[in-house]
Amino acid sequence: MSLITNEHISIEKIKKSKIDQVDFDKLTFGKNFTDYMFECDYKDGKWQNPTIKPYGNLVLSPATKVFHYGQAVFEGMKAYKDDNGDVFLFRPEENFNRINKSSKRMAIPEFPREYFFEALHTLLQLDKDWIKPGDGNSLYIRPFAMATEVGVSAAPSDEYKFMILMAPAQAYYTHDVRVVIAEHFSRSADGGVGYAKAAGNYGAQFYPTNLAREKGFQQVIWTDSNEHKYLEEAGTMNVFFRINDTLITAPISDRILDGVTRKSVLKLAERAGIKTEVRRIQVSELVEAAKNNELKEIFGAGTAAVISPVSAFSYKDTVYDIPKPDDSYAVRFKKELMDIQQNRAEDPFGWRYPLA
Ligand SMILES: *Cc1c(COP(=O)(O)O)cnc(C)c1O
């Protein structure tokens, strides 16, 4: 293993790439990882030893705090390659700011900007062959931070690890999703951690989602934890409702995650002259609109699937089908977003971040 040091980050080179072992036409999302990963430790009050090394296992004591108290946060972002072989990220500044916002809420020390961006640049340079051009192909990037102090005392850790993993992803043609509107369970609560990408937020969603699955639905639309009256998010995505030709989404709050896809869709809608309303929306309003044939679309918005159309929702044991409109906003925004991300369209908002 050779050791090269650039400005900050030391690099341990792989002996041989494992790219040949991966079938890029049959990728399961988040299962195959690239040759390299990034690792940086927080010790003695500072982040230190940023290192890029061959992707591999960690050795951790079973008493490591993250296993017991879930003190961990993460991000999800993507890199794209255009037909000229140029590589781009999409609004990475947003992910950087958000992981530190999440970290703050979880009492994890903030990660330095220069390490984050230098790690991304260097990793993407080393693993650039893993990014395939072509519609919908991308490299999913998973930065995360976790408590690594050994000991089970219930107090914040004084040691952490920040890591970045990368996994090639295909255009995934998601089937339309059927959702259940939550009447009992909640994803998040006022004063809680719903706005943070905290690991445990996902863990807590699995059980109610399994119950929805057993009834033939794939996802849950989360409602406010106080009254289950207002619509908030769909699964692990932000959610949009189209009533007649108006696009409605809930405002960001303690309970709602500030999604990059959500705010990008709002911008694209404004540009298209589509009327948008960022306001609380009641379940009763949705049900009324569905009954009056005014509910044209529901779709989720998030980095992994980009836009995920909902074909039916269930509320109080009644199922409401949503016939697909010819002028689908979901289809339109998905195409517009992906065209910008993959450098097939103008970038009027400066969202593309080229990697030299
Ligand atoms: C990550 C996430 C989203 C989507 O955010 P993007 O930045 O668009 O990927 C929405 N809701 C929740 C709960 C999330 O964790």
Side-chain angles (χ1 to χ4, degrees), residues 98 187 194-197 233 238 252 255-259:
R98 192 169 63 190
R187 191 192 77 86
Y195 69 89
K197 273 187 118 68
E233 295 210 53
N238 293 112
I252 294 311
R255 299 190 305 265
I256 299 185
L257 192 123
D258 187 4

Side-chain angles (χ1 to χ4, degrees), residues 74-76 95 98 187 194 196-197 202 205 233 235-238 257-262 301-304:
F74 68 95
E75 266 306 320
N95 302 93
R98 192 169 63 190
R187 191 192 77 86
K197 273 187 118 68
Y202 282 58
Q205 264 182 243
E233 295 210 53
T236 57
M237 308 179 106
N238 293 112
L257 192 123
D258 187 4
V260 181
T261 319
R262 172 187 175 279
T303 296

Side-chain angles (χ1 to χ4, degrees), residues 232-353:
E232 302 207 321
E233 295 210 53
T236 57
M237 308 179 106
N238 293 112
V239 65
F240 285 85
F241 306 93
R242 173 183 176 187
I243 296 182
N244 292 319
D245 288 335
T246 303
L247 194 62
I248 309 167
T249 193
I252 294 311
S253 73
D254 263 12
R255 299 190 305 265
I256 299 185
L257 192 123
D258 187 4
V260 181
T261 319
R262 172 187 175 279
K263 55 182 140 195
S264 305
V265 165
L266 283 171
K267 278 269 178 241
L268 292 175
E270 277 168 34
R271 177 179 73 164
I274 290 168
K275 190 170 171 227
T276 58
E277 291 179 2
V278 177
R279 63 167 171 88
R280 304 184 82 193
I281 169 167
Q282 295 206 17
V283 183
S284 58
E285 184 179 346
L286 189 76
V287 169
E288 272 313 295
K291 284 182 180 159
N292 299 336
N293 295 321
E294 290 176 343
L295 177 66
K296 302 288 191 250
E297 293 181 80
I298 301 179
F299 57 87
T303 296
V306 191
I307 301 286
S308 186
V310 172
S311 59
F313 73 90
S314 157
Y315 183 63
K316 293 204 191 291
D317 294 324
T318 305
V319 176
Y320 300 85
D321 286 309
I322 313 165
K324 217 181 188 65
D326 293 333
D327 65 337
S328 163
Y329 288 178
V331 170
R332 171 190 187 138
F333 293 135
K334 183 165 189 171
K335 180 174 188 310
E336 288 182 2
L337 262 180
M338 289 176 56
D339 282 349
I340 295 176
Q341 288 167 336
Q342 307 211 300
N343 195 24
R344 287 189 299 259
E346 290 295 302
D347 180 23
F349 306 106
W351 288 339
R352 269 197 305 265
Y353 175 100

Side-chain angles (χ1 to χ4, degrees), residues 11 20 76 107-108 110 129 159 185 201 206 232 294 308 312 348:
I11 301 171
D20 296 340
I108 297 172
E110 290 184 20
D129 292 345
E159 291 178 7
F185 292 103
N201 285 350
F206 295 156
E232 302 207 321
E294 290 176 343
S308 186

Side-chain angles (χ1 to χ4, degrees), residues 39 41 57-69 146-153 157 159 161:
E39 193 175 332
D41 289 312
N57 293 342
L58 298 174
V59 177
L60 293 171
S61 156
T64 302
K65 283 199 173 178
V66 66
F67 298 140
H68 301 272
Y69 304 120
M146 61 178 161
T148 49
E149 186 190 335
V150 175
V152 296
S153 70
S157 177
E159 291 178 7
K161 227 179 238 312

